[in-house]
Amino acid sequence: MDLEREYLLQNYARYPLVLARGKGCYTYDLEGRRYLDFITGIGVNALGHAHPRIVKVIREQAGLLIHSSNLYYHQYQGPLAERLSAMSGLARAFFGNTGTEAMEGGLKMVRAHGHAISPEKFEVIALENSFHGRTFGALSITGQAKYRQDFEPLVPGARFVPVNDLEALEAAFSDRTAGIVLEMIQGEGGIFPLTPQFVAKARELADRFDALLVADEIQCGVGRTGAYFAYQRTNHVILPDVMVTAKPLACGIPLGVIMANERAAAAIKPGMHGSTFGGGPLACRVALEFCEILDELLPQIQRVGGYFHVQLNELARKHSFVKEVRGFGLMIGVDLNIPGKQLVLDAMAEGLLINCTHDTVLRCLPPYIVTEKEVDQAVKILAKLFNKVK
Ligand SMILES: Cc1ncc(COP(=O)(O)O)c(C=O)c1O
């Protein structure tokens, strides 16, 4: 901690906890104290810690080939693209390393799509309260001034619309619109789901104005809500043209992906985009293994996620400072009318890791392997803490 204070950029406000190892749903600090991990490295450690199948493929692949660059083929990028295409309903993949990098590529696709139609067609509609990443493009369409203000001027062309406001959405579209970017459930913004009507309207308007609909599934995607992707959660699936995702895909090995239908993919021609590290053999092989395991876990995510919601709603009923429990599957926010930060610290002291987003929302992103037993433990700790709130 002292070395970090002396040598690191002081951009992170870390919790005072040094993690050393993990097993299943639990992680341990340097002194061996155990924590129930209900934040999973912000949704990355989706299979918990040290999952035996993931450890096995990492060990094997590390001894064979970790990196090859995109100058050459390797065995795993093609099969992973095929797999993600089947899961997402989108034809083609591009692999990068992080969420924000995937978002940048998605935005380049939107720009190139617009550019091919008219130089005036470069606007991107995004939502207020959204979060899409920290690089310039992603930041430009992030609908929270606190992230943007120190870096302006940003990439031009962003237009922000309030969440679930159909009229504002319609008013924002024009022939200048090249794309619209949506998180089906806003994550950093406080776990706010979009209504199906709003998503349907975005699809209709994107079609009418020849713009691309981009789903940012970096936090809500790849199983988190109990569906492969959050846009598939309801019976009436509204397919985006482009989908970006990252966090849990390779269980902690950095991997991000852009999935695109043929129309959107056609905007990117040879030489227009690339990544040195993106889609390496280690990351892709781990992601393939993760997808196999995910198939077995989807019913459990739905069942345990539902159970967690019910338990939290029961707790909410007993405490007037809890405004609402929101989210789907294992992506849950408990919105309070008091600041959440102290509760997060108190939970940590009780052996439960969660975090707070948007100042008042306790955010839980448990691992997909979680069962009712761990949910009971977490709810018991929260109940104890809630009882102490004055
Ligand atoms: C919805 C969403 N988009 C983009 C990002 C940025 O991803 P990364 O931190 O991997 O760059 C995040 C990260 O929290 C996110 O939640």
Side-chain angles (χ1 to χ4, degrees), residues 42 44 97-103 130-135 138 183 185-188 216-220 244 246-247 363:
I42 321 187
V44 170
N97 301 280
T98 62
T100 202
E101 186 191 350
M103 194 70 245
S130 60
F131 183 84
H132 298 293
R134 306 277 194 164
T135 47
E183 292 165 84
I185 305 166
Q186 291 188 328
E188 301 299 311
D216 179 345
E217 295 258 350
I218 290 164
Q219 188 162 151
C220 61
V244 293
K247 287 181 184 292
R363 176 171 50 172

Side-chain angles (χ1 to χ4, degrees), residues 245-257:
T245 195
K247 287 181 184 292
L249 193 53
C251 304
I253 309 286
L255 182 65
V257 64

Side-chain angles (χ1 to χ4, degrees), residues 67 70 114 148 185 214 248 256-257 304 307 339-341 343 370 386:
H67 173 72
N70 284 297
R148 293 196 314 260
I185 305 166
V214 182
V257 64
V304 180
Y307 179 76
K341 187 152 185 243
L343 279 165
V370 76
F386 283 12

Side-chain angles (χ1 to χ4, degrees), residues 82-89 222 228-229 231-232 291 294-295:
E82 181 187 34
R83 181 72 200 234
L84 290 172
S85 177
M87 285 162 64
S88 66
V222 220
Y228 284 138
F229 297 102
Y231 63 80
Q232 300 162 332
C291 291
L294 179 60
D295 277 348

